[in-house]
Amino acid sequence: MNSMNDAAVGLPFSLNYLRPSAPLNDSSRFRVKISQAFGDIAEDYTFEIKAHFALDVGVSINGSTIYEIKSWFLTASIADVLDCITSTWTFFVKRRNVDIGRRSYPGEMVAEKWHSFVSAAFSTESMGYQLDERCGVHYFVDSEFEGARAAAVSGLGAPRYTNVAHSLEKAYAFLDGPVVDTKSAARSAFEAIEILAKLMVPEAQNLNGRMIETRLEPLVLSGCIDDAHKNMASAIMKSLKEFVNGVHYYRHGQGEESVIEPPLDIAVYILSQVSNAIRLLIPVDQRLQSGN
């Protein structure tokens, strides 16, 4: 149990001591916050934004007042709430000016304030979601997972790695969508690292444990600067060999009636490991391309 010395100063009790151990799919506190924030910016646009929700995401809200729309945010399905979070941003960002109370603000400013508020509410209420730059909602696993994703993608900007980047982004997209597809995520992740391996060893037919041991590992070790570096790199490649052998269990059997779906935690591990391996191998490939 945390002592007072371990707690952040000035935070509400629940944020210091009652945070859930895993991200939440839904939360009444989050809904209350979103409902109130929506009411603060949309009171003068009740009819327009109801029509916008209907056309944009297919949501029909009964009633004609801002209070009824605010109440809808408290009781609707979480999927509809998340869709309307994005739709609210879209509604305001397209407006030249937005009247709130007795003042008028640029629509883009109001949309950005909405984005910032929702993003902060996701964080403080431990919700398992995050926003992209256009207020689209995506699943959020944890900061380490997202960090591995960002680091790998940042290294794939060169045209040589276009197909690697495409397959890796597809893998993450299978976990970001409204229907999580862990098997497709695992397959696309494997495809990404296999494409990179074949770029490094063009004559290789496919990526497997033997190819890692006999072809990739020597390439990695050839750039080691000392024995400690070499021993560590060797251990990493042996681990990668076992990992690749394990992922094959989720890659085969496309024609079988019973599809083996990895659990979400395993799929997250697979994508994280593939991202880290890609980040490790890209500098090796770049060294080979430069002739060093």
Side-chain angles (χ1 to χ4, degrees), residues 41 92 243 268:
I41 62 174
F92 285 111
F243 169 76
V268 168

Side-chain angles (χ1 to χ4, degrees), residues 25 128-130 137-141 146 149 175-180:
N25 292 324
Y129 311 104
Q130 62 181 332
V137 182
H138 304 272
Y139 284 105
F140 179 78
V141 178
E146 295 300 326
R149 173 183 190 169
L175 297 189
D176 279 341
V179 178
V180 176

